[in-house]
Amino acid sequence: MPDSAVPVPARLRSFRSSWLSPKVLRTEVLGGLVVALALIPEAISFSIIAGVDPAIGLFASFTMAVTIAFVGGRPAMISAATGAVALVIAPLNRQHGFGYLVAAVILAGVLQIVLGALGVGRLMRFIPRSVMVGFVNSLSILVFIAQVPQLWNVPWAVYPLFAAGLALMVLFPRITTAVPAPLVSIVILTVITVAAGIAVPTVGDKGALPSSLPVPGLPDVPFTLDTLATVAPYAFAMALVGLMESLMTAQLVDEITDTRTSKTREAVGQGIANIVTGFFGGMGGCAMIGQTMINVKVSGARTRLSTFLAGAFLMVLCIVFGPVVSDIPMAALVAVMVMVCFATFDWHSVAPRTLKRMPAGEITVMVVTVVCVVVTHNLAVGVVTGSVTAMVVFAKRVARLADVTAVTDPDGSRVVYVVTGQLFFASSNELVGRFDYAGDPDRIVIDLSAAHIWDASSVAVLDAIEHRYAQRGKTVEITGLNEHSAGLHRSLSGELTKVG
């Protein structure tokens, strides 16, 4: 029975059993709380990168998380202000001001909706696994690198607090998993530092927390074509980077939870969330792999409730419990993020046993993806470069499988060339030199029963081979074409090679 045909009471019972059971509710609430705590310093840091007030990043994280909880395609995934988006829009804010930044966020949201409606989510199937592994590992490295400054040139007390935080997160799950270990670690370390009066960097040192909810409004820019021309390039870049990071993160969560979700809906949802965020004066954002891993892998959350509560708790913590949150030691949050990095990194992919068995091309693709992302701090550059590298590796590998063998009839009246493998631009170009044009008899048969023609380059090569034999007064018969190859050859033969 389709979902729309299910009676409302039945759907309500299903909602109650899946979301509001005591165990699920506890997991979702605590997961949302841990994520909210981790979002505060991250959002403030990304605000600094973008060159805006810390409240702008916090507002963006609030509106992104709350909106995507309703319109996104991937339950339990966390969307908020991110470093990738901050890096894209920072130059626009520096050169033209905050109003143009907000306009770019809104336009980026519109573009994401358009790209989502056009089916950009389906492009995820063209991302190789080696690129996906590189994406996960590179983001783990970036998140770890982002924590290093919090452990450099700091009071000595930070280091035992940091070590205690890691120990708590490793040991506490052995006692109970009812409460997320990161939350326990944050609470205990905060109580210790406040009670003992230990002077260490705190969340409050990152910037002032907002004291009221954001108010909707229009961007303070002239609504002209010049404004559109100014913000459009940044909006397009933000839309692409945001969608790529969001869809890759959604794919990763699908694998972790062994579920399938709509990437098209996620793309459209990201667009809606950015539009809402823009109208509330936020800096925009996308999915966050670090906070998503805290929510899904560490806390065990699986529903939209945790995503919604992450945003809601974020504002409650800032507005109602601002003084308390400001006292949280950064060492506690850094310990949480380092543990997330450790849990997210695909250690199996770099194990000696795996590297020995993995084809060299696959390792190359993974390394290229990691290096590009880490060096540029740009996910789009890494994923695109890794995917192109994977295509080149695949083309070279498949091209080697194409082969030609010749069998001459006993009476010497005919020679049969048997072509095997996949014929495309990388493999077919070498075929021309595999035939004995001068020494072959007058009748030549090219048997393609064990081959497949994929592109115009292969048809052009076959035409060139026929032409060379024809110049010597010899006839060529091509046989064994499968249906697809025959159709391509029939439509393109004679149209691609200039004879003269």
Side-chain angles (χ1 to χ4, degrees):
M1 181 182 294
D3 184 63
S4 59
V6 177
V8 173
R11 288 198 291 186
L12 287 176
R13 285 196 298 272
S14 174
F15 170 85
R16 196 158 41 237
S17 63
S18 62
W19 277 32
L20 301 183
S21 67
K23 182 178 179 181
V24 173
L25 187 60
R26 182 183 65 243
T27 299
E28 301 298 312
V29 170
L30 294 177
L33 180 57
V34 174
V35 170
L37 289 169
L39 276 174
I40 294 174
E42 294 281 300
I44 295 174
S45 298
F46 299 146
S47 298
I48 295 171
I49 292 173
V52 298
D53 188 89
I56 303 302
L58 292 166
F59 287 156
S61 296
F62 163 63
T63 54
M64 285 292 298
V66 169
T67 305
I68 206 70
F70 292 97
V71 300
R74 173 65 256 180
M77 191 166 75
I78 304 297
S79 291
T82 60
V85 169
L87 288 170
V88 171
I89 59 178
L92 178 63
N93 182 57
R94 286 196 301 267
Q95 297 171 20
H96 300 280
F98 181 66
Y100 283 83
L101 181 151
V102 173
V105 171
I106 295 173
L107 180 58
V110 173
L111 293 173
Q112 287 177 331
I113 292 175
V114 173
L115 291 171
L118 292 175
V120 69
R122 290 193 291 271
L123 295 177
M124 285 301 299
R125 61 188 177 187
F126 296 106
I127 304 295
R129 184 184 180 280
S130 51
V131 174
M132 192 72 185
V133 172
F135 158 79
V136 172
N137 291 348
S138 60
L139 284 185
S140 299
I141 294 171
L142 284 181
V143 173
F144 178 81
I145 292 174
Q147 311 312 310
V148 173
Q150 308 300 330
L151 300 172
W152 193 259
N153 290 329
V154 292
W156 68 269
V158 168
Y159 302 109
L161 286 172
F162 172 71
L166 293 178
L168 281 168
M169 283 183 286
V170 171
L171 300 175
F172 189 78
R174 300 181 182 181
I175 301 173
T176 178
T177 57
V179 181
L183 179 59
V184 174
S185 175
I186 292 170
V187 171
I188 291 178
L189 294 184
T190 303
V191 170
I192 291 174
T193 55
V194 173
I198 302 174
V200 292
T202 64
V203 169
D205 296 330
K206 282 287 187 177
L209 302 180
S211 57
S212 62
L213 290 171
V215 178
L218 295 174
D220 184 18
V221 295
F223 292 90
T224 63
L225 290 177
D226 287 341
T227 300
L228 180 62
T230 300
V231 303
Y234 296 95
F236 186 66
M238 175 185 164
L240 290 180
V241 170
L243 280 184
M244 191 170 294
E245 185 161 354
S246 298
L247 295 177
M248 294 282 278
T249 304
Q251 183 78 9
L252 175 63
V253 179
D254 284 357
E255 293 180 5
I256 292 173
T257 60
D258 195 23
T259 57
R260 294 185 63 185
T261 53
S262 172
K263 303 304 179 291
T264 297
R265 177 175 173 178
E266 183 59 41
V268 173
Q270 289 291 330
I272 295 172
N274 272 304
I275 291 174
V276 171
T277 297
F279 281 121
F280 276 91
M283 57 181 277
C286 61
M288 302 184 75
I289 188 170
Q291 275 67 19
T292 297
M293 290 301 101
I294 292 175
N295 196 43
V296 174
K297 206 166 186 179
V298 179
S299 300
R302 292 292 183 270
T303 77
R304 300 177 187 276
L305 183 60
S306 58
T307 305
F308 172 81
L309 290 177
F313 282 151
L314 176 63
M315 281 295 98
V316 172
L317 289 170
C318 292
I319 296 172
V320 180
F321 300 102
V324 176
V325 173
S326 296
D327 288 335
I328 295 175
M330 285 301 301
L333 296 175
V334 170
V336 171
M337 296 309 298
V338 169
M339 186 60 69
V340 169
C341 296
F342 184 85
T344 302
F345 194 91
D346 189 347
W347 296 101
H348 177 73
S349 66
V350 295
R353 184 177 180 182
T354 303
L355 295 177
K356 287 181 181 179
R357 296 184 176 184
M358 189 75 68
E362 300 287 321
I363 298 174
T364 300
V365 171
M366 181 181 68
V367 171
V368 166
T369 304
V370 171
V371 170
C372 287
V373 173
V374 172
V375 170
T376 65
H377 284 225
N378 190 320
L379 172 68
V381 171
V383 171
V384 170
T385 305
S387 297
V388 171
T389 304
M391 293 177 189
V392 173
V393 169
F394 174 77
K396 290 184 65 175
R397 184 184 303 159
V398 175
R400 293 197 203 101
L401 301 179
D403 195 18
V404 179
T405 56
V407 178
T408 304
D409 285 352
D411 59 4
S413 63
R414 187 184 72 160
V415 61
V416 178
Y417 285 93
V418 178
V419 181
T420 60
Q422 308 301 310
L423 303 184
F424 63 110
F425 63 90
S427 61
S428 59
N429 289 334
E430 296 183 1
L431 290 181
V432 177
R434 303 293 296 275
F435 294 81
D436 185 3
Y437 301 100
D440 283 342
D442 292 340
R443 293 180 57 207
I444 296 93
V445 176
I446 301 177
D447 183 3
L448 297 175
S449 300
H452 189 104
I453 299 175
W454 287 106
D455 60 5
S457 296
S458 302
V459 176
V461 166
L462 291 175
D463 283 353
I465 294 170
E466 288 188 82
H467 176 62
R468 290 195 181 189
Y469 277 117
Q471 287 179 319
R472 294 169 173 78
K474 302 176 182 181
T475 60
V476 175
E477 179 186 3
I478 297 177
T479 64
L481 290 169
N482 59 39
E483 184 178 353
H484 175 271
S485 300
L488 192 63
H489 185 265
R490 186 168 50 251
S491 62
L492 296 178
S493 181
E495 303 293 330
L496 302 171
T497 305
K498 182 177 179 180
V499 180

